[in-house]
Amino acid sequence: MTPFDIPLLEGLESDTAAAIRRRMVSLTVRGGERIFRQGEDGDALYTIVTGSVGISAVDPRTGVVRRIARLRFPETFGEMAVLAAGPRSATADALRDTHLLRLCRHDLLDIVESHPRTLRYLTKLLAERLRTADEGRFFTYAPRTFAVLAATRGPCATEFGRALARTFDKLLPGATGCVAEWPDEADPDWLHRIEKAHARTILVETATDRPRSRLVLHQAEHVLLLAEPGEPLLPGLADALANIPSPWIRRDLVVLQSGGSTLPRSVHPEVDGLPVSMRFHLRRNDAGDRNRLARLATRSARGLVLGGGGVRGLAHVGALQALDEAGYTVDFVGGTSMEQWWPPVSPPGSAWNVYVTGHREAWPGVIRSTTIRCPMSR
């Protein structure tokens, strides 16, 4: 990282920026390790060179740990307690192997006194974070680095990773890098250069018993596990997953179903016991399923919540048809009463057609037509 990559030093003369950079101490933190804890004395601020850091805080009223932010290169954190000379207001953890630059309080205050322009960045940073806290925004985060690996025999992780990269590029701005062939010099710095060159990065691993699998699992922000119905876990997979450095790293299971199927085949009991956040049944060669997975994985999916009751249920038929005709794909659904049974696998056809078919079977004689319409303009 050059001095001009550090936001704190933007706008300074090159000699001044280089002199300040020399005061910053390089620090490597393994994924899962704590950088500082809420309540500790704030003795330094940090700038991220590679990796990512999770910021969380304990709610004093409930004792519940609340996730506040997830930071990546080249963001700075820890400045509030340093400038205010008080205890840390939050906890910072390395979510993956992370390289930091540390600037102690004495050096920071000396720099601010000699070069007041450095306060511009810190003032803007504090204002943005105070505004976020004041508005009570929910923690949101879109991962940029994904790991793809097979959990059972059958799936081809390389083929899946490349297809997912093409789907990302079709739906989202920027290019996706897919690393399926690894050079001998691959290390965290090499991966960082790949990440900087792309909007998103997919890391494909075909084995779990070699050092590279640790590198992949310690660098990814979201892990996608591929499984074939009925197949047991590959040897060593459970141990590899146990070494994922942080609970902030999301793990999802993608079960590859045969094309054209309307009901999913069951997974093996070993796979059923995996600690994952979401299970996604993806039909082979189904573009709609791939698009939906891509939207869910990148936090760009559309959700729909349906109110309960028979009358509302009938009205939802027209509303769903109107959404479908207007081109608004619904990726996940929540609801109460008769609306909560939405099929776990999205069968072929539009969402409203699935809805009508199911309710016609549940309410024979009530829904006799699928021509209920509610026009919607784009």
Side-chain angles (χ1 to χ4, degrees), residues 343-363:
V345 172
S346 198
S350 61
W352 75 269
N353 209 9
V354 173
Y355 189 90
V356 170
T357 301
H359 279 74
R360 180 187 286 156
E361 294 173 356
W363 301 85

Side-chain angles (χ1 to χ4, degrees), residues 16-31:
T16 301
I20 296 173
R21 168 64 181 84
R22 285 193 290 269
R23 297 197 187 194
M24 305 180 83
V25 179
S26 180
L27 179 67
T28 300
V29 185
R30 289 172 62 89

Side-chain angles (χ1 to χ4, degrees), residues 301-325:
R302 294 191 183 104
L304 180 66
V305 177
L306 304 174
V311 175
R312 288 195 185 96
L314 296 177
H316 291 155
V317 175
L320 284 168
Q321 181 175 357
L323 286 170
D324 188 72
E325 291 174 349

Side-chain angles (χ1 to χ4, degrees), residues 38-55:
Q38 183 177 356
E40 293 179 351
D41 179 46
D43 59 349
L45 64 75
Y46 301 83
T47 295
I48 301 173
V49 180
T50 65
S52 62
V53 173
I55 306 296

Side-chain angles (χ1 to χ4, degrees), residues 169-284:
D169 288 346
K170 182 177 69 174
L171 299 177
L172 301 167
T176 303
C178 182
V179 181
E181 298 177 359
W182 295 78
D184 294 337
E185 67 272 15
D187 60 13
D189 290 336
W190 180 85
L191 282 178
H192 177 63
R193 292 193 294 273
I194 299 294
E195 290 173 319
K196 282 188 66 177
H198 298 89
R200 295 159 301 276
T201 305
I202 296 175
L203 309 177
V204 176
E205 177 55 284
T206 56
T208 59
D209 57 351
R210 51 189 176 189
R212 194 176 73 202
S213 63
R214 181 200 173 277
L215 174 64
V216 169
L217 292 175
H218 274 241
Q219 296 300 118
E221 299 168 334
H222 189 160
V223 178
L224 294 173
L225 303 169
L226 311 181
E228 192 79 20
E231 289 288 339
L233 288 180
L234 291 173
L237 181 79
D239 291 339
L241 296 180
N243 290 323
I244 291 178
S246 170
W248 289 57
I249 308 302
R250 182 183 173 111
R251 285 166 281 189
D252 289 335
L253 178 67
V254 180
V255 185
L256 301 178
Q257 303 287 346
S258 58
S261 60
T262 57
L263 291 175
R265 294 169 55 207
S266 300
V267 297
H268 191 277
E270 293 179 359
V271 178
D272 190 51
L274 286 174
V276 294
S277 299
M278 178 183 72
R279 297 184 184 188
F280 188 93
H281 295 270
L282 186 146
R283 290 162 296 190
R284 287 181 169 86

Side-chain angles (χ1 to χ4, degrees), residues 6-10 12 20 24 45 76 103 108 118 121-122:
I6 304 173
L8 178 65
L9 306 183
E10 287 181 356
L12 299 179
I20 296 173
M24 305 180 83
L45 64 75
T76 295
L103 185 64
L108 174 63
T118 56
Y121 170 72
L122 295 175

Side-chain angles (χ1 to χ4, degrees), residues 2 20 59 73 89 108 135 152 289 293 304 333 356:
T2 67
I20 296 173
D59 189 323
F73 165 86
S89 60
L108 174 63
E135 294 175 354
T152 70
D289 283 0
L293 173 62
L304 180 66
V333 176
V356 170

